[in-house]
């Protein structure tokens, strides 16, 4: 069965996000003042062949740890459907 | 009240995603064969000052359309919490 895993990888809260800051300022100059902060990360969709949802989650977790994210600068969440 | 809007911006299904393809092949060479396809996009978190969840959603939608996504190559989804 094919499961879809959604991996969100974001810069750690403690770290500056210069890209997000630049976008935030640009939104303000476009007149959208209600947005107070912007953080930009990655959204990765993995299509996984597995027997169960839990097995798919384990595979997504392994792939994320081995390759997709940088533990020093980023955190991640995984949801499988 | 501050709402958090999560915007996922992904390359359109019809388009090639060379970055995703490269990651997919690298995962295979790391021994993770169960992953059949990878798509890579952006996850943007917006912190929005608004009166209601619906108002926050409208602001997030406006910001995404005006600045964050490229209608020719990408699609997006927004969830507000």
């Amino acid at each position: 069965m094919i499961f879809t895993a959604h991996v969100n990888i974001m810069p750690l809260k403690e770290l500056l996000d210069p890209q997000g800051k630049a976008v935030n300022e640009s939104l303000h100059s476009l007149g959208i003042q209600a947005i107070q902060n912007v953080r930009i990360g990655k959204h990765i969709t993995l299509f996984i062949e597995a027997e169960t949802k839990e097995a798919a989650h384990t595979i997504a977790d392994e792939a994320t740890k081995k390759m997709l994210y940088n533990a020093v600068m980023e955190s991640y969440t995984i949801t499988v459907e």
Side-chain angles (χ1 to χ4, degrees), chain A:
Chain A
M1 199 177 156
I2 302 280
F3 292 92
T4 307
H6 297 278
V7 185
N8 283 328
I9 300 176
M10 297 301 287
L12 288 173
K13 286 197 184 78
E14 300 76 29
L15 298 180
L16 283 176
D17 175 9
Q19 193 185 1
K21 199 175 169 216
V23 166
N24 194 24
E25 287 169 11
S26 301
L27 286 170
H28 288 181
S29 56
L30 278 178
I32 306 178
Q33 304 286 345
I35 294 177
Q36 312 212 321
N37 194 12
V38 179
R39 306 281 293 175
I40 299 184
K42 280 174 282 190
H43 180 88
I44 302 176
T45 311
L46 305 171
F47 300 90
I48 302 172
E49 169 78 47
E51 306 239 322
T52 64
K53 204 169 164 176
E54 289 68 34
H57 195 286
T58 305
I59 291 164
D61 197 62
E62 185 192 357
T64 305
K65 283 191 180 141
K66 274 197 181 165
M67 197 171 157
L68 302 177
Y69 102 118
N70 172 353
V72 178
M73 297 175 63
E74 297 168 326
S75 65
Y76 69 94
T77 56
I78 296 173
T79 49
V80 180
E81 63 189 33

